[in-house]
Amino acid sequence: MSTLQNREVILEKVKILIFVGHYLPGYKGGGPIRTIANMVDYLGDEFEFLIITRDRDLGDSSPYPEIKVNQWQKIQGASIYYVSPERSGFFHFRHLIQNTNHDLIYLNSFYDPVFTIMPLLARRFLGAVAKPCIVAPRGEFSAGAMTLKATKKKIYNAFSAFLDIYKGVTFQASSEHEAQDIVRVLGVDRARIEIAIDLPELDRPLETDFDSAVEPDAEKVLRVIFLSRISPKKNLDFAIKALSFTQRPIEFHIYGPIEDDTYWRECQALFTELPTNVSVSYCGSVLPTETKKIFSRYDLFFFPTRGENYGHVIAESLSVGTPVLLSDQTPWLDLEPQGLGWDMSLNSPKVFAEKIDKFASLDPVLRRQQRPVIQAQTRKLLQNPEIVKANRDLFRARLKF
C-alpha cells in the first residue's frame, strides 16, 4: 500500500469524541440533537463518532427504553454512551476521556454545566488526555441570549477566563455574525474561531403534497405556528405580545416541550391579553418525523428567538414552503429579498404585528402559490456542497497526522 493510501486509511478512522446533553432517540432537546445526527449522516464514512449523552430525553425522569446505560453501544452509525445522572461528574468524565480512544473532543455548548464545563475541567485539571477540542456555542452569545441569566454568565465568563479552561480550544460559529458575537463576549482572537454552518437533513425529500394544498377557510384566517422548546430563549412571550397588536383573524398554535414551567405560566397569563381576533392553542410536543408535515398545515412560522446558531426548525418550515417571521438573531438573514419571509429586530412587538397583518391581508391563493417557490429556493440553499466541506475541514484542520 502506498504512502498516500496509508494516509487515506488513517483519515477515514479519525475518532471524534462528542459530549452533548441530549441525543437520539431523544428529540425534546431540539437543534443540537439534529445537528449531531446530521453530522453522523453526512460524515460517518470519514469519521468515527463517539457520543456521550444523557440516558434520557429533556425533562424525562426515566431512561430511554431498550438502551444500555453507562456502556458503549452502536446506534444509527455512531457509538453512543448513555450516562446516568449519578455518573455525570468530573471523575467519570475524566475516566471516559482517558479510556476512550479519540483524536478530538467536540462540545455542544459553552454554558452547559455538565456536558461542557465538566469535560473541560477534567481535560484541564484532572489529568484527562488533552486532545484538540472544539466548542460550538450554538447561539449562546447572541445579544438576546446574553440577556438571559446575564449575571451568572458574566461570573462564569470571568471564572473560566481566570482558570483558562478554554486554553487551546477552537470555537465553531455558524456565521460571521456569530463569530463576532463570540469575539465580543469572550474577547478571544478571531483566528480561534472557525465558521461551519450546521448540516441540514441528508437526502430527505422535500414534500410538495402536504396539507398546504388545502383551500383556506372562508374567513381567510391566518394560520400561524410557533414550534420550539418553551423556554425564555425561544421568546414565546414576545410572540404572544406581538399578536396582541394584530387586527386580522389569526389562529396561533404552539408546539414544543415545556422546558421551563415558570416561563410557561407567564406565557399562559399573556393569553388573556390577546384580542378576540386571535385564538391560541397549545398542541404539545412533536416527533421529528412529523415536524415537516405539521409545518405544511400553516401559513406562517413565527419564531422571534433570542438567538440561534442555525435553527433546524427554520429550515424545516421553509423546506415545505411555509414562510418564516424571525428575529434577526439567527443566521437566516435578508429573507425578504429571497422571498422566504422576514427577519427583524426585537425592538418592537408592534412592528411584527404590522408584518403579520400585512401578510394576512394577502389573497390566500397568492400565499399558496408562493409555497413551491419557497421550497425551490430552500432546496438550493440546503444542498450547497460547501456546507459539508466546511464541517469536514473544521475537524481536519485541528488534527495532526
Side-chain angles (χ1 to χ4, degrees):
M1 184 178 290
S2 69
T3 302
L4 178 59
Q5 288 173 320
N6 275 319
R7 179 177 172 82
E8 289 174 348
V9 170
I10 293 172
L11 290 177
E12 289 175 355
K13 295 181 180 179
V14 166
K15 295 177 172 60
I16 311 298
L17 181 61
I18 296 176
F19 285 84
V20 61
H22 301 280
Y23 191 63
L24 302 175
Y27 63 94
K28 297 176 185 177
I33 296 174
R34 299 184 222 183
T35 295
I36 302 305
N38 294 346
M39 189 180 292
V40 171
D41 286 342
Y42 274 93
L43 302 177
D45 291 339
E46 303 174 50
F47 301 94
E48 182 177 347
F49 291 100
L50 307 120
I51 301 170
I52 297 173
T53 187
R54 287 185 176 88
D55 66 356
R56 61 201 67 192
D57 207 353
L58 178 68
D60 287 358
S61 59
S62 57
Y64 302 113
E66 301 179 1
I67 64 157
K68 301 172 183 176
V69 178
N70 298 321
Q71 57 183 292
W72 289 103
Q73 58 226 270
K74 197 81 171 180
I75 298 177
Q76 297 188 27
S79 296
I80 306 178
Y81 188 99
Y82 294 100
V83 63
S84 60
E86 63 272 12
R87 301 192 73 176
S88 300
F90 296 107
F91 294 101
H92 189 57
F93 282 173
R94 179 188 66 172
H95 170 80
L96 289 172
I97 294 171
Q98 288 282 63
N99 293 280
T100 303
N101 184 22
H102 64 282
D103 300 293
L104 183 148
I105 294 176
Y106 186 76
L107 306 174
N108 287 270
S109 171
F110 185 85
Y111 291 114
D112 188 321
V114 178
F115 286 85
T116 295
I117 297 174
M118 286 189 184
L120 284 173
L121 289 172
R123 177 179 178 269
R124 184 80 172 89
F125 297 110
L126 299 182
V129 178
K131 294 291 179 68
C133 181
I134 297 171
V135 172
R138 305 294 181 213
E140 291 169 316
F141 296 136
S142 70
M146 288 302 297
T147 63
L148 303 173
K149 301 181 180 178
T151 301
K152 288 184 178 180
K153 290 177 179 178
K154 288 179 181 178
I155 292 172
Y156 174 69
N157 292 351
F159 168 79
S160 63
F162 176 76
L163 295 179
D164 203 15
I165 65 174
Y166 292 89
K167 181 179 180 180
V169 166
T170 297
F171 294 93
Q172 177 193 357
S174 287
S175 65
E176 182 59 38
H177 182 76
E178 186 181 16
Q180 293 305 318
D181 283 341
I182 296 171
V183 171
R184 172 177 52 81
V185 175
L186 299 182
V188 300
D189 192 320
R190 176 62 180 80
R192 291 179 59 188
I193 304 170
E194 297 289 339
I195 296 178
I197 301 173
D198 289 7
L199 289 160
E201 285 184 286
L202 179 63
D203 296 333
R204 186 172 175 182
L206 299 176
E207 302 288 350
T208 58
D209 57 353
F210 281 153
D211 295 340
S212 57
V214 177
E215 288 290 332
D217 61 42
E219 294 182 352
K220 299 182 180 179
V221 173
L222 188 73
R223 298 162 296 181
V224 180
I225 180 174
F226 176 98
L227 195 158
S228 187
R229 290 178 286 121
I230 311 298
S231 71
K233 182 181 177 183
K234 305 305 181 180
N235 220 10
L236 173 61
D237 63 306
F238 183 97
I240 299 168
K241 291 173 184 175
L243 289 170
S244 71
F245 295 108
T246 59
Q247 305 293 321
R248 307 286 299 192
I250 293 169
E251 289 181 1
F252 184 50
H253 291 177
I254 301 164
Y255 293 82
I258 299 172
E259 181 178 312
D260 186 322
D261 289 328
T262 300
Y263 177 71
W264 174 235
R265 286 193 292 271
E266 293 172 359
C267 290
Q268 287 178 302
L270 293 174
F271 292 166
T272 61
E273 301 177 13
L274 289 171
T276 56
N277 61 289
V278 180
S279 65
V280 59
S281 300
Y282 174 60
C283 304
S285 297
V286 180
L287 292 172
T289 54
E290 295 295 314
T291 304
K292 287 189 177 184
K293 187 172 184 179
I294 288 173
F295 270 127
S296 73
R297 299 171 182 164
Y298 293 87
D299 301 304
L300 181 69
F301 175 32
F302 187 14
F303 190 39
T305 174
R306 292 176 180 268
E308 303 294 321
N309 81 306
Y310 179 67
H312 288 280
V313 288
I314 300 169
E316 287 178 316
S317 178
L318 294 171
S319 73
V320 294
T322 302
V324 296
L325 176 58
L326 312 174
S327 71
D328 59 1
Q329 299 297 303
T330 85
W332 298 85
L333 300 173
D334 300 317
L335 295 174
E336 189 168 7
Q338 302 176 72
L340 301 178
W342 305 268
D343 49 277
M344 304 193 302
S345 167
L346 292 171
N347 292 336
S348 172
K350 289 185 178 180
V351 175
F352 282 81
E354 291 168 1
K355 190 66 67 175
I356 293 170
D357 275 339
K358 185 176 181 179
F359 184 62
S361 67
L362 293 177
D363 187 325
V365 174
L366 179 60
R367 292 201 301 262
R368 190 164 64 252
Q369 289 173 346
Q370 283 297 112
R371 298 187 76 103
V373 177
I374 293 172
Q375 284 184 306
Q377 177 68 5
T378 304
R379 181 183 297 111
K380 182 178 178 181
L381 292 173
L382 297 181
Q383 294 180 351
N384 183 354
E386 290 300 315
I387 297 176
V388 180
K389 182 180 184 300
N391 279 266
R392 180 188 297 114
D393 292 347
L394 174 70
F395 296 134
R396 294 280 186 226
R398 310 280 75 77
L399 302 171
K400 308 296 182 183
F401 297 104

